[in-house]
Amino acid sequence: MTEQRSIDPAVCDLLEICEEDGISTVFDRADAMKACPIGAKGACCRNCSMGPCRLTKEGQVGICGATIDTIAARNFARMTAAGAAAHSDHGRGMALTLLAAATGDAPDYHVRDVRKLHEVAGFLGVETDGRETADIAKEVAEKALIEFGRQTGEIVYLQRAPRKRQQIWRELGIAPRGIDREVVDIMHRTHVGNDQSYESLLMASLRTALADGWGGSMLSTDITDILFGSPVPLVAKANMGNLSEDQVNIVIHGHEPTLSEMILVAVNDPEIIEYAKSKGAKGINLTGICCTANETLMRQGVATIGNFLSQELAIVTGAVDMMVVDIQCIMQALGPLTEKFHTLLITTSPKAHIDGVTHVNFEEHDALEIAKRIFKMGIDNFPNRREVHIPKDVNQLVVGFSHEYINYALGGFYRGSLRPLNDAVMQGRLRGVAGVVGCNNARSCHDYAHDYVVRELIKNDVLVVMTGCGAIACAKYGLLSPEAAKYAGPGLREICETVGIPPVLHLGSCVDNTRILTVLSQMATEGGLGEDISDVPGVGFAPEWMSEKAISIGTYFVASGVYTIFVSESPVRNSPAVVRFQSEVWEKRVGGKLEFIADVKESVQKALEHIDKKRAALGLPEYDPKRYGQSGDAVMLKVLEERGEEVFNLYSAKVVQSAGS
Ligand code: NFS
Ligand code: SF4
């Protein structure tokens, strides 16, 4: 039973405990709660109180006359807007933190990456010559905030896309004006009695999603890098075995790095460590879940113990003394669950409370003090621990592939460039590239589709970049370590062995999907792979999506020219017109298309066919794995190994051991 629920042995172990002890989890609730068959197809509208209207019969319309096409498109548009709002509000939070840091209102935060600050200043038209860092940071933050409230014109970051892409957006009238404006636009046009054309609703969805991808999320990534440093490769660890038997286990969960970074500072405070010892603990062990974990994993090597569907199971170990959550993807079920265990659950964001759960409001201006106060609450809870069941599973991974680092890894410090990547695709050593991202979903076997899709892609010489819960999934199965090169096809394996990278690169949290946009833009302008993102032989994948944020991400990938596959039934399937529009019409207009494919095998097949179609359109040689695997690089590695000489490996030279190991 439990094996069908997850491919993660740690999760299966803990589910057995749940079964024995009668603890209900997301997996049980998914079995008990059948999805509403009407809502699941996009056939239900509750946009006014004459409804809800359920369109179940051929030709039926809502009380106001709305057709199935309008209703499906409106529902989709609202999902996009909610996702874009969540990401963008997170980005706004980062911009406000940078502003507070620059003006001295948040004295615990500093600009850690001055080079990145200057780069972003360049994008936003902020003068840097002869100015103090704080002064530049203040104007960068102010300029970033203008992007949210911009009313007319277009958001500045669109200029980071290939020229041809920008032209497409402008000609179609989908260049976003301001980030907030586009979210409001969707909420307005989907109100009863407004936009009734599915076509216009779906085009507006593209614009709003672009405001997320090239706006709120991209700013979020940039400003997070400025404040906390651009990631560089680190060795880190994944899965539940990273919880400690004899130390205070603090788990951070959610999305924003602002609090977790302060918790990281506090964890090294001798006073806090002494305090933990005074309570009988050997020390403090910090780990993470979901995207907060990805943020601290990428920059500091903090271990991740799981993704979206493991959050309850972390508590079931009985070893978590405190779980601190901020925003997004936090299951309400954690509240009642922690009542059965000793775990202290703390909410910290004014935007995310859970009834009955202790709330400590986190404020940037007093960040470190609040972090320390929260910490002490966790330590105080250590003596209350009862029985613990910590699964042994631990996997190693290498994280920290910012787009800047990918440039450097491939081209070297003085000639950092994606040229080698483009060359590899052009020669056919790499068949193409894929971004595999997104959530877990309790309606499908936990982590199975992520693992399947990624293994198939790398076996077929497709270089994979990942973020979010998908990246955590694959980390747990060893796919993010350089040794995973052995699962790759011959061409990709050669590249991994030569450059010293894993075949699957971890690019960060879900807002960091914008790093994929940046890499794709650079590939398109580097030369040899056309002149636009839609020319690059690549695909986007969300194998286990569940959130509205995933819909926004998928839609901005489509609007940027990428064929994007969600492995599930379509949430708009009751409207063949909307389904067709998202695939055929979007492809004709923006070069990218969105398809929901329930069969995971078929989804990979379609992805590879698409990559080959793009290769053919560029006049590139047909992909032939037999041509590689015997080249000079591989032979040289073998010779060195046989002679017992140390093979130069990026990791031996540059990897900084993770904080925890
Ligand atoms: Ni992305 Fe990260 Fe995970 Fe999905 Fe949730 S944690 S922002 S939304 S579930 S990948
Ligand atoms: Fe029904 Fe129209 Fe109201 Fe939707 S907006 S609930 S279709 S009457």
Side-chain angles (χ1 to χ4, degrees):
M1 177 74 185
T2 51
E3 293 79 39
Q4 293 156 19
R5 293 178 155 181
S6 176
I7 60 163
D8 179 347
V11 165
C12 293
D13 271 5
L14 292 163
L15 282 175
E16 264 165 42
I17 296 177
C18 293
E19 227 163 272
E20 281 162 26
D21 296 351
I23 297 164
S24 123
T25 63
V26 60
F27 298 94
D28 305 299
R29 294 188 298 272
D31 289 342
M33 172 83 68
K34 293 285 163 247
C36 165
I38 303 165
K41 298 179 201 152
C44 171
C45 177
R46 45 171 299 261
N47 288 14
C48 87
S49 95
M50 295 192 287
C53 295
R54 291 156 300 157
L55 273 53
T56 52
K57 296 187 199 99
E58 186 71 37
Q60 203 180 7
V61 295
I63 294 175
C64 66
T67 62
I68 183 65
D69 302 334
T70 303
I71 289 173
R74 271 201 306 225
N75 289 341
F76 185 87
R78 281 203 170 191
M79 281 199 271
T80 313
H87 280 150
S88 300
D89 206 36
H90 168 170
R92 181 198 334 269
M94 297 312 300
L96 289 169
T97 304
L98 180 62
L99 183 63
T103 54
D105 291 332
D108 300 322
Y109 296 98
H110 309 281
V111 169
R112 268 200 222 153
D113 191 338
V114 177
R115 193 199 54 78
K116 182 92 182 205
L117 174 71
H118 282 233
E119 188 191 342
V120 174
F123 293 140
L124 293 171
V126 173
E127 189 56 59
T128 53
D129 277 355
R131 292 178 75 183
E132 297 279 332
T133 298
D135 208 26
I136 302 169
K138 179 170 174 285
E139 200 184 330
V140 162
E142 285 164 349
K143 282 265 163 70
L145 288 166
I146 288 173
E147 296 302 293
F148 290 87
R150 184 184 288 290
Q151 301 302 323
T152 52
E154 60 187 45
I155 56 175
V156 176
Y157 271 12
L158 298 190
Q159 287 160 23
R160 292 173 63 174
R163 198 159 294 149
K164 195 165 162 204
R165 184 58 20 197
Q166 298 177 37
Q167 238 169 12
I168 293 172
W169 292 333
R170 285 181 197 123
E171 275 163 20
L172 289 169
I174 57 167
R177 297 152 293 185
I179 299 164
D180 293 348
R181 174 159 187 196
E182 301 310 345
V183 174
V184 170
D185 177 280
I186 292 286
M187 296 316 285
H188 178 192
R189 74 171 64 224
T190 55
H191 185 274
V192 59
N194 221 36
D195 197 351
Q196 331 271 358
S197 150
Y198 73 88
E199 176 174 342
S200 135
L201 283 157
L202 292 172
M203 293 310 285
S205 302
L206 292 180
R207 184 167 55 189
T208 300
L210 285 171
D212 173 0
W214 296 85
S217 280
M218 200 173 272
L219 283 164
S220 185
T221 295
D222 277 353
I223 297 173
T224 309
D225 283 351
I226 291 172
L227 280 169
F228 304 117
S230 301
V232 292
L234 290 168
V235 175
K237 290 183 182 143
N239 219 342
M240 295 282 181
N242 289 295
L243 289 170
S244 167
E245 297 262 358
D246 49 17
Q247 302 182 67
V248 180
N249 286 310
I250 312 257
V251 177
I252 44 180
H253 170 25
H255 282 77
E256 284 177 341
T258 25
L259 169 61
S260 47
E261 285 281 341
M262 280 304 119
I263 287 184
L264 259 167
V265 176
V267 82
N268 294 315
D269 185 322
E271 186 202 337
I272 296 268
I273 296 170
E274 266 321 298
Y275 190 65
K277 289 189 174 154
S278 78
K279 300 282 171 182
K282 286 239 170 84
I284 298 164
N285 182 44
L286 189 66
T287 56
I289 288 182
C290 284
C291 282
T292 296
N294 281 325
E295 299 277 4
T296 47
L297 173 76
M298 287 287 280
R299 296 188 177 83
Q300 327 282 356
V302 172
T304 168
I305 57 168
N307 45 13
F308 180 67
L309 284 183
S310 346
Q311 55 185 293
E312 289 168 290
L313 298 163
I315 293 179
V316 172
T317 62
V320 177
D321 302 297
M322 180 168 70
M323 184 181 276
V324 187
V325 303
D326 48 66
I327 51 163
Q328 300 173 14
C329 302
I330 297 142
M331 287 192 204
Q332 184 163 0
L334 292 178
L337 183 65
T338 47
E339 283 167 20
K340 297 198 177 83
F341 292 86
H342 86 298
T343 306
L344 176 65
L345 178 65
I346 308 263
T347 56
T348 59
S349 165
K351 283 171 231 166
H353 293 262
I354 301 178
D355 286 335
V357 169
T358 310
H359 184 83
V360 178
N361 217 38
F362 179 68
E363 285 160 44
E364 274 76 14
H365 67 88
D366 203 14
L368 191 54
E369 268 320 299
I370 298 173
K372 284 187 189 169
R373 184 147 55 89
I374 293 176
F375 234 112
K376 285 197 172 149
M377 293 164 75
I379 295 170
D380 285 338
N381 196 30
F382 177 76
N384 297 329
R385 252 200 223 177
R386 302 186 292 261
E387 215 182 321
V388 301
H389 302 273
I390 304 177
K392 296 278 166 282
D393 311 79
V394 175
N395 258 296
Q396 278 230 349
L397 68 152
V398 177
V399 297
F401 293 93
S402 52
H403 47 269
E404 287 90 347
Y405 191 81
I406 295 177
N407 261 294
Y408 166 54
L410 293 168
F413 192 66
Y414 292 107
R415 51 186 175 87
S417 108
L418 291 190
R419 192 67 251 160
L421 182 60
N422 279 30
D423 287 344
V425 175
M426 289 165 67
Q427 293 152 357
R429 192 173 293 242
L430 277 185
R431 190 169 182 172
V433 292
V436 184
V437 310
C439 326
N440 293 140
N441 187 321
R443 299 265 171 227
S444 60
C445 174
H446 173 224
D447 289 349
Y448 170 76
H450 281 299
D451 184 73
Y452 178 84
V453 166
V454 169
R455 277 179 201 271
E456 285 300 309
L457 290 173
I458 62 174
K459 199 165 81 191
N460 280 284
D461 289 307
V462 176
L463 176 71
V464 174
V465 295
M466 297 194 83
T467 62
C469 288
I472 299 175
C474 290
K476 290 186 290 181
Y477 312 116
L479 293 171
L480 271 59
S481 74
E483 292 76 50
K486 61 175 180 271
Y487 305 121
L492 174 57
R493 194 170 63 233
E494 267 179 20
I495 293 174
C496 293
E497 288 168 350
T498 313
V499 187
I501 54 171
V504 185
L505 305 181
H506 191 335
L507 261 57
S509 66
C510 277
V511 288
D512 294 333
N513 281 318
T514 60
R515 296 193 203 273
I516 304 178
L517 295 179
T518 305
V519 170
L520 287 171
S521 299
Q522 287 177 357
M523 285 179 82
T525 45
E526 177 66 40
L529 295 178
E531 46 181 356
D532 178 32
I533 295 173
S534 66
D535 298 328
V536 175
V539 288
F541 252 111
E544 300 178 31
W545 77 282
M546 63 90 201
S547 76
E548 293 165 318
K549 289 182 287 172
I551 288 288
S552 180
I553 294 166
T555 308
Y556 73 62
F557 268 97
V558 171
S560 304
V562 182
Y563 175 26
T564 305
I565 299 174
F566 279 47
V567 183
S568 75
E569 298 282 359
S570 166
V572 293
R573 59 187 178 276
N574 241 30
S575 165
V578 169
V579 171
R580 195 185 70 87
F581 197 92
Q582 291 184 331
S583 164
E584 289 166 32
V585 182
W586 271 353
E587 186 172 41
K588 232 175 261 147
R589 293 194 189 168
V590 292
K593 57 181 169 177
L594 181 63
E595 282 180 354
F596 294 85
I597 303 173
D599 183 287
V600 66
K601 287 201 180 106
E602 186 191 336
S603 72
V604 172
Q605 236 165 31
K606 283 217 162 172
L608 293 174
E609 276 164 24
H610 179 82
I611 285 174
D612 290 343
K613 187 178 95 183
K614 291 290 171 187
R615 293 188 64 85
L618 288 166
L620 299 177
E622 219 171 284
Y623 165 70
D624 175 11
K626 288 194 288 301
R627 287 170 50 214
Y628 295 99
Q630 330 287 336
S631 80
D633 297 339
V635 172
M636 182 53 83
L637 282 172
K638 208 151 176 241
V639 168
L640 286 172
E641 243 166 63
E642 276 165 11
R643 277 205 227 143
E645 279 175 35
E646 200 173 317
V647 175
F648 173 74
N649 183 316
L650 178 77
Y651 298 104
S652 54
K654 295 191 193 69
V655 163
V656 188
Q657 280 294 321
S658 74
S661 57

